[in-house]
Every structure is written in C-alpha cells, then in structure tokens.
Amino acid sequence: MNSIKTLYKLMEVSSRDLEIPDAYQRRLNTERVAKIVAGFNERIANEPKVSFRDGHYYVFDGQHTIVARKHMNGNNDLPILCKVYYGMTEAEEALLFAMQTGYSAALTPSAKLRANLHGEDKASGEFYEATEDVGFHVGFERGGGRIVCINTAFAEFKRVGAEVYKEALTILLEAWGGDPESLRAEVLQGFIHFVELYHDEYDRNRLVYSLRAYEPKFIYAAGKAEKELRGIKRYVNIFYRIYNGRRRHEILPMKF
C-alpha cells in the first residue's frame, strides 16, 4: 500500500464524465441513495473520490453520493466537487475502495474481498486460492459448497496458515460434501481449531468416518446448547468427543 499515490486535487467534474468501474465496485443500492437524498446536508457531504486514469474519471468512493446529487438536480447532469487522484492503477483504486471508512457505507465481507482480489492483495489472493484448491468457493453468491462466513474463514486462514486451513476444509468436504450447515462460522472455526490442536495425532480416515455419523446441523445445535464451555471450545469439544467416541484405546488427549 505504500506505493499508492495519495496526492489529489479538488476540482469540479461533470457527473456525465464520472464512471463507475464494474471490476471492483459494488452494485448501486437505490435504498441508500434515497436515504442520502432524504437527509442530505451540504455542510457535511463528502466529496467523491475519483481516479483520473487513461483520460477517464473513475469513481472509487462516492457513487451513491453522485447519484443522489444528480437525483436532486432532476436527474440532470451537474458539476460535482471531487477529490481527483492522479497516477493510480486500477488495482490501487480497488485497494483504496476496499479500505473505505468514515461516512462511506460499510462494505460487506464479500465486496471487500472482491475488491482486494482485484487490487492484487497478497493475503486475499492466497486465501481465495487455498479455498478454491480444496474444492470450496468463496461466497460472493450463495450456493452449495460456498463459504459465506468470509471474515471468519479469512481470519482462520491467516491465523493457522494454508496447510492447516486446507487440511481442515478438505476433511469437511470429504465428510459432508459441502453441506451449508457444515460451513457455518462456528462449525468451521471450531473444526479448524480441532485440526490445529491435533494436526499430527488423529487418523484421517477415522475422523472422516466419525464425522459422517452426524449431520452438520446437529454439530451446530449441540455447540449452541453447550453450557460448560465457552466460545470456540464448545465446538472443539464436540469434535473431540465425536472422534474419540466410546473407544478406550488410541484416543486423543484433552488439550483445551
């Protein structure tokens, strides 16, 4: 991020010339536009942030404000005071878009990851590739085999590293075939912690076989019902008990 140019010039640009890049921008939210119009106050309104690149003005922050201003002008184009940045690449624009704070609407985890991927953020790219390599997909859209708890999954990936992350996801896929219930944040996080704790101690085939005896929704419900343990330990304990079962030999030791 240190290479991103942060110099800008305040200048008026016609709304007709302001372009919204589809590559990393989110879709226009008409409800948000209506809220901006209803509560518009010129004294606190932010200037849209625009990148002048290849002869075009690309908006990377403020598209809803632009549409709101145009709406208040009878849907006619008008000059808008913008912060115009120079010398930025499309990837740098995407990274700045993903870092939006302040009065900008908070990005959803999927929108932020999508922008960071387009901006070639290293950690985001490695997380995305690791997830796809296993056979799962990052949940830009809902569907089977898609991880929608992106913040949780990404945090675990960064915490334990690609090897443990991929090992845990591979076992979940083998056991439950991408069942959405197995990809809930609590279940996913708990299982990654379990794999991290017992990385070189459990028998892989036995673990997969043991998991298949239970439906993922049971795991989630059992964790929620657990009263003695708190936080992620509730789910680690469930996986620990499922693996050991009623066996007296070759059982995993208690580590949590």
Side-chain angles (χ1 to χ4, degrees), residues 131-181:
T131 305
E132 295 282 326
D133 283 348
V134 167
F136 284 117
H137 306 288
V138 177
F140 296 129
E141 298 176 357
R142 292 186 178 275
R146 294 190 179 276
I147 295 177
V148 296
C149 57
I150 294 175
N151 282 348
T152 297
F154 196 3
E156 288 299 304
F157 171 81
K158 290 186 288 187
R159 189 182 66 81
V160 302
E163 181 182 357
V164 172
Y165 175 80
K166 291 175 70 172
E167 181 178 344
L169 262 63
T170 299
I171 293 172
L172 286 179
L173 185 61
E174 290 180 9
W176 290 317
D179 187 322
E181 293 291 329

Side-chain angles (χ1 to χ4, degrees), residues 4 10 17 20 25 27-30 46 54 59 79 98 109 123 153 181 183 186 191 218 226 244:
I4 293 180
L10 278 173
D17 298 325
I20 310 299
Q25 272 278 17
R27 294 180 181 177
L28 184 72
N29 185 325
T30 55
N46 286 339
D54 300 330
V59 179
E181 293 291 329
L183 300 176
E186 298 89 343
F191 191 67
F218 167 82
E226 174 65 58
N244 281 344

Side-chain angles (χ1 to χ4, degrees), residues 1 3-13 18 24 46-62 81-90 92-97 99-101 104:
M1 291 297 296
S3 64
I4 293 180
K5 317 296 189 301
T6 55
L7 296 178
Y8 64 85
K9 181 168 65 175
L10 278 173
M11 60 180 290
E12 287 190 339
V13 181
L18 296 172
Y24 59 81
N46 286 339
E47 299 86 4
K49 296 181 179 68
V50 177
S51 171
F52 184 73
R53 173 170 51 85
D54 300 330
H56 296 265
Y57 293 96
Y58 294 106
V59 179
F60 62 86
D61 184 7
L81 185 64
C82 301
K83 289 182 177 179
V84 180
Y85 293 72
Y86 295 87
M88 291 173 57
T89 65
E90 186 178 33
E92 290 170 337
E93 295 164 17
L95 289 176
L96 286 180
F97 170 75
M99 295 170 62
Q100 290 182 60
T101 57
S104 299

Side-chain angles (χ1 to χ4, degrees), residues 206-242:
R206 173 175 154 184
L207 178 56
V208 172
Y209 179 82
S210 298
L211 291 175
R212 285 176 179 169
Y214 297 86
E215 293 186 10
K217 63 182 180 181
F218 167 82
I219 306 292
Y220 176 74
K224 287 295 183 183
E226 174 65 58
K227 301 299 182 182
E228 295 184 7
L229 297 174
R230 291 188 175 185
I232 202 60
K233 288 184 178 180
R234 296 178 298 173
Y235 289 91
V236 177
N237 183 48
I238 290 171
F239 290 120
Y240 170 80
R241 287 186 292 160
I242 287 176

